[in-house]
C-alpha cells in the first residue's frame, strides 16, 4: 500500500485523500469483507463441529475412565453448553426438558457483548408442560469433580443465571428421566432483555455485537448447527427465524457497511496524517502512515473486528434523513 502514498501532498483536500483511500482499500482491505476472504463467516463452525463429531461414540472427555456413582450430578445445557463444554464430564446424553421455550431474551455483557454494547444469549421461559420442549445435552459430572465444575459454571453463568433442578428425558429413548441441574436467567435479573424487541431487532443486536468469547453471531450459528446435527427435524421457530434474519444481514448489509466503514477509517488516517504534518511544518512521513495503515489491517484480522464498525454504520443509517 506504500506506493499509493508517494504522490500525496499536504495541500490535498479530504476529497482527494478519499480517492487515495479508495485505492488503498481496493488493494489491501477489500479482501477482508468478500465471501472468500480470510475473515469470511465459515459455513461450519469449528467449536460446534468438534464437539458434535462422534457425539455418541465419545461420551466422555476424560483421559482416564472414572466409574459413575450415586453422588454424581447431571448438568443440562441448552445454550453454549451444548457445544462448548469446558469442564470434565464422564458421560453426555442428548435429550430435552418439558414445559419450556428457548428464547434469546438475555443480554450478554461478559461473553458475547460488553456492558456498553450487550449481545443476546438464550434463557428459558415457562411454556406448555405438555407441548413445549427444549432440546440440549446433559453432562454427567463425577462426584470428585462436582464441586469444582459447579463453581466454574456458577462463574461462567454469573450474569443473571440461577440454578434449578428438573427432569431430563433422553432423546429417542424410553429410559427413566434423569434429574439434572440447569442454569436459567430469570426475568428479575438485571440483564434480562425480554421480548421488548422482536426478532428483527434481536437479530440486528446479534449482528453488531461481540465480546470476550467472540462474535455474537458465532453463538447463534453454533447453537443452530448443534440443534440441526443432534436433533434433526426438531422445530425451534425462534432460533430458525433469528438465523435467517442474521444471515440476511451478513449477505445483504455487511459488505456495503464494512466497505463504507473501512473507507472512512482509511480516509481519517490519511487526513490526520496530513494535519499533523501541516501543524508541525514537517514533510509527510510515508513510513509513519504506512505503519498506521498496517496497524488498521492487523486489527481487521482479530475476532470481533467487524461488529463495532457495523454498529456505528447502522446507527448512522437509522439517524440519516434519507434512510
Amino acid at each position: 500500500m506504500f506506493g499509493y502514498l508517494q504522490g500525496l501532498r499536504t495541500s490535498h483536500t479530504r476529497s482527494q485523500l478519499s480517492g487515495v483511500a479508495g485505492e488503498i482499500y481496493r488493494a489491501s482491505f477489500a479482501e477482508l469483507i468478500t465471501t472468500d476472504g480470510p475473515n469470511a463467516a465459515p459455513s461450519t463452525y469449528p467449536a460446534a463441529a468438534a464437539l458434535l463429531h462422534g457425539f455418541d461414540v465419545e461420551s466422555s472427555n476424560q483421559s482416564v475412565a472414572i466409574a459413575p456413582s450415586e453422588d454424581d450430578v447431571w448438568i443440562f445445557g441448552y445454550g453454549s453448553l451444548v457445544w462448548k463444554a469446558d469442564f470434565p464430564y464422564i458421560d453426555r446424553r442428548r435429550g430435552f426438558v418439558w414445559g419450556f421455550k428457548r428464547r434469546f431474551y438475555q443480554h450478554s455483557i461478559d461473553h458475547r457483548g460488553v456492558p456498553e454494547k450487550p449481545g443476546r444469549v438464550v434463557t428459558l421461559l415457562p411454556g406448555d408442560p405438555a407441548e413445549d420442549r427444549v432440546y440440549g445435552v446433559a453432562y454427567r459430572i463425577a462426584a470428585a469433580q462436582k464441586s469444582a465444575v459447579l463453581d466454574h459454571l456458577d462463574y461462567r453463568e454469573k450474569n443473571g443465571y440461577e440454578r434449578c433442578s428438573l427432569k431430563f428425558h433422553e432423546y429417542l429413548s424410553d429410559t427413566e428421566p434423569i434429574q439434572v441441574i440447569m442454569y436459567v436467567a430469570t426475568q428479575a435479573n438485571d440483564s434480562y432483555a425480554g421480548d421488548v424487541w422482536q426478532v428483527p431487532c434481536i437479530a440486528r443486536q446479534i449482528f453488531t455485537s461481540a465480546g470476550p468469547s467472540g462474535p455474537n453471531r458465532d453463538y447463534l450459528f453454533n447453537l443452530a448447527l448443534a440443534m440441526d446435527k443432534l436433533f434433526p427435524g426438531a422445530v425451534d421457530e425462534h432460533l430458525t427465524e433469528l438465523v435467517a434474519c442474521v444471515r440476511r444481514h451478513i449477505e445483504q448489509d455487511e459488505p456495503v457497511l464494512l466497505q463504507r466503514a473501512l473507507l472512512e477509517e482509511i480516509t481519517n488516517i490519511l487526513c490526520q496524517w496530513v494535519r499533523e504534518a501541516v501543524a508541525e511544518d514537517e514533510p509527510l512521513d510515508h513510513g509513519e502512515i504506512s505503519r498506521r495503515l498496517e496497524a488498521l489491517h492487523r486489527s481487521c484480522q482479530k475476532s470481533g473486528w467487524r461488529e463495532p464498525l457495523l454498529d456505528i454504520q447502522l446507527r448512522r443509517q437509522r439517524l440519516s434523513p434519507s434512510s
Side-chain angles (χ1 to χ4, degrees), residues 45-115:
Y45 282 76
L51 180 69
L52 301 175
H53 178 69
F55 183 93
D56 295 314
V57 177
E58 302 172 356
S59 59
S60 170
N61 64 356
Q62 300 293 280
S63 57
V64 177
I66 300 176
S69 76
E70 294 182 355
D71 295 324
D72 298 343
V73 295
W74 289 83
I75 304 292
F76 176 64
Y78 56 89
S80 60
L81 289 183
V82 173
W83 50 269
K84 190 179 181 182
D86 56 351
F87 51 84
Y89 56 86
I90 61 174
D91 194 7
R92 63 180 178 182
R93 311 256 179 104
R94 292 180 288 172
F96 58 88
V97 294
W98 282 110
F100 291 94
K101 298 178 180 181
R102 176 169 39 212
R103 295 289 185 267
F104 277 75
Y105 285 179
Q106 178 73 358
H107 279 147
S108 176
I109 61 173
D110 55 352
H111 287 294
R112 298 295 173 170
V114 291

Side-chain angles (χ1 to χ4, degrees), residues 7 28 32 56 76 94 100 116 155 159 201 243 274 279 294 300:
S28 302
L32 299 175
D56 295 314
F76 176 64
R94 292 180 288 172
F100 291 94
E116 59 272 19
Y155 182 79
N159 184 39
C201 293
V243 167
V274 169
E294 288 167 359
C300 294

Side-chain angles (χ1 to χ4, degrees), residues 180-193:
V180 296
I181 294 171
M182 75 172 183
Y183 288 80
V184 177
T186 68
Q187 298 183 31
N189 85 88
D190 292 340
S191 288
Y192 186 76

Side-chain angles (χ1 to χ4, degrees), residues 273-318:
W273 175 53
V274 169
R275 283 196 299 270
E276 289 174 359
V278 170
E280 297 174 6
D281 195 23
E282 295 286 345
L284 293 173
D285 183 348
H286 294 87
E288 173 60 24
I289 191 59
S290 183
R291 285 189 289 273
R292 294 183 190 183
L293 291 170
E294 288 167 359
L296 174 63
H297 195 275
R298 285 195 301 273
S299 72
C300 294
Q301 312 297 316
K302 298 177 180 178
S303 174
W305 73 272
R306 301 161 176 258
E307 285 74 13
L309 298 178
L310 293 170
D311 184 47
I312 291 172
Q313 293 299 320
L314 279 178
R315 288 175 184 271
R316 288 180 182 173
Q317 191 169 284
R318 290 198 297 272

Side-chain angles (χ1 to χ4, degrees), residues 158-176:
K158 65 183 183 298
N159 184 39
Y161 288 82
E162 299 177 2
R163 291 188 205 172
C164 67
S165 180
L166 73 168
K167 293 188 181 298
F168 168 87
H169 303 265
E170 194 168 354
Y171 184 62
L172 301 179
S173 173
D174 294 326
T175 57
E176 285 293 312

